[in-house]
Amino acid sequence: MKILVNGAWRDTRAVDLAAALAELGYGETVVATALNGEFVPVSSRVGARLAEGDRLEVLAPMQGG
Amino acid sequence: MFKVYGTELRSRLLLGTSRYPSPAILTDAVQASRAQVVTVSLRRESSGERAGQGFWSIIRELGVRVLPNTAGCHSVKEAVTTAHMAREVFGTPWIKLEVIGEDDTLQPDVFGLTEAARLLCAEGFEVFPYTTEDLVVAERLLAAGCRVLMPWGAPIGSGRGLNNLFGLKALRAHFPEVPLIIDAGLGVPSHAAQALELGFDAVLINTAVAQARDPVQMAAAFAQAVEAGAAARLAGPIEPRDLAAPSTPLIGTAFRG
């Protein structure tokens, strides 16, 4: 199925958010996630089911003012 | 020394980490500034580049406190979600809350700001709201649970200094016990010294340091200015007056009478 990852369409076979992050290559990186605009904490990534057209945000620390 | 949310800070300079020429210059500038708090943000991370991971390890090595922001958020929902994400990644309840209402001036949307502040304070966040000098908005933010306010000096990155001196003085006078940090718009160290002389507790600087020809030297200059301003405040500045007052005693002046 196709999901929108940080604004770009990606194909995934992952059933949940944890699997999608692994499949997309985020591995052990420090990131925070939001699914369809809602924050998903690390502890809830396993079992956070994905559906066609879902919008996933994967954010990491960045310079800020 | 001043206190925010129970944390005592020696340095009255908070430093942004954005727009430096290189990571090495950022590191040197933070050290030269003697800042104990730096602001950070969250951005989309590509799994290939992993730019955020390198940045985060630089900040951790500096051993400073981080104040994550919600920069770029234009709605309550975006700001609240970003705050949750920041709390998890950075491991702090501190959040510099920005809800932007207007793109030319990056003026805060004070209506969205107070609403987001209310939601986040209720969830245990320690909110540093980026606001204007408006007294009524300040009152609402305090009622929402904020224990510090960050009024703007001038629009972000403009380098204009304290734009509305009257309004800022009124804010200081109206809330004598609330920690007030001037955030945004300062351009040179004298602006920072002025803010401290007026009784503001601290200043947050980013562009003025990061975009200076020599950011490290400018960071050191701001550190000195902030110390001078704070010392002057304690020393009790004289009131300006309209007419001259001779500084040399008149008694015993030669050639008179």
Side-chain angles (χ1 to χ4, degrees):
Chain A
M1 66 185 162
K2 284 190 188 308
I3 60 171
L4 203 54
V5 180
N6 287 345
W9 288 105
R10 302 286 294 264
D11 261 315
T12 181
R13 284 173 299 169
V15 291
D16 65 10
L17 181 49
L21 289 176
E23 190 189 276
L24 292 164
Y26 286 100
E28 297 301 305
T29 55
V30 179
V31 291
T33 51
L35 194 55
N36 299 320
E38 299 290 340
F39 169 57
V40 181
V42 173
S43 56
S44 304
R45 286 179 190 162
V46 173
R49 312 271 311 171
L50 296 177
E52 179 81 25
D54 273 352
R55 289 174 293 114
L56 173 62
E57 294 287 336
V58 185
L59 307 189
M62 199 57 64
Q63 294 85 345
Chain B
M1 193 91 86
F2 76 112
K3 216 182 232 189
V4 279
Y5 290 109
T7 297
E8 284 192 344
L9 297 172
R10 282 188 316 282
S11 170
R12 292 173 181 274
L13 177 58
L14 292 77
L15 198 65
T17 57
S18 197
R19 307 181 68 191
Y20 290 81
S22 72
I25 291 175
L26 164 63
T27 300
D28 290 349
V30 172
Q31 284 165 345
S33 76
R34 301 197 289 277
Q36 295 170 284
V37 177
V38 299
T39 51
V40 293
S41 195
L42 284 175
R43 284 292 178 272
R44 286 173 167 175
E45 177 87 325
S46 101
S47 57
E49 287 180 20
R50 300 192 176 191
Q53 312 304 312
F55 169 71
W56 186 218
S57 65
I58 288 171
I59 297 300
R60 274 184 300 193
E61 279 170 26
L62 282 167
V64 289
R65 283 179 178 274
V66 293
L67 174 58
N69 69 26
T70 62
C73 290
H74 283 68
S75 72
V76 172
K77 175 74 181 163
E78 285 173 11
V80 168
T81 302
T82 303
H84 281 122
M85 297 171 91
R87 180 164 66 177
E88 182 182 84
V89 163
F90 296 112
T92 172
W94 284 12
I95 189 77
K96 181 188 151 186
L97 184 61
E98 293 183 33
V99 183
I100 298 302
E102 205 279 319
D103 278 334
D104 285 336
T105 57
L106 298 177
Q107 176 157 346
D109 168 2
V110 295
F111 307 98
L113 181 69
T114 48
E115 175 62 10
R118 192 182 60 75
L119 294 169
L120 291 171
C121 288
E123 291 186 52
F125 281 89
E126 294 174 350
V127 176
F128 295 61
Y130 167 61
T131 184
T132 67
E133 64 276 15
D134 190 292
L135 294 180
V136 180
V137 173
E139 193 75 70
R140 297 284 164 86
L141 289 167
L142 296 171
C146 297
R147 295 289 170 262
V148 56
L149 300 175
M150 300 183 92
W152 64 350
I156 296 170
S158 68
R160 300 181 61 87
L162 304 178
N163 239 0
N164 180 357
L165 214 46
F166 176 81
L168 287 167
K169 281 182 178 176
L171 185 71
R172 180 68 287 178
H174 205 78
F175 302 103
E177 305 300 329
V178 178
L180 297 178
I181 301 172
I182 296 286
D183 177 11
L186 303 191
V188 285
S190 56
H191 295 154
Q194 185 187 23
L196 274 290
E197 287 162 10
L198 292 175
F200 288 92
D201 295 276
V203 295
L204 198 166
I205 311 286
N206 192 155
T207 309
V209 167
Q211 297 283 293
R213 183 165 47 79
D214 182 343
V216 181
Q217 197 167 15
M218 190 59 87
F222 267 100
Q224 291 177 340
V226 163
E227 279 184 20
R233 174 70 178 182
L234 280 177
I238 62 162
E239 285 299 321
R241 47 186 286 161
D242 291 333
L243 297 176
S247 49
T248 302
L250 292 176
I251 297 167
T253 306
F255 316 119
R256 298 286 162 88

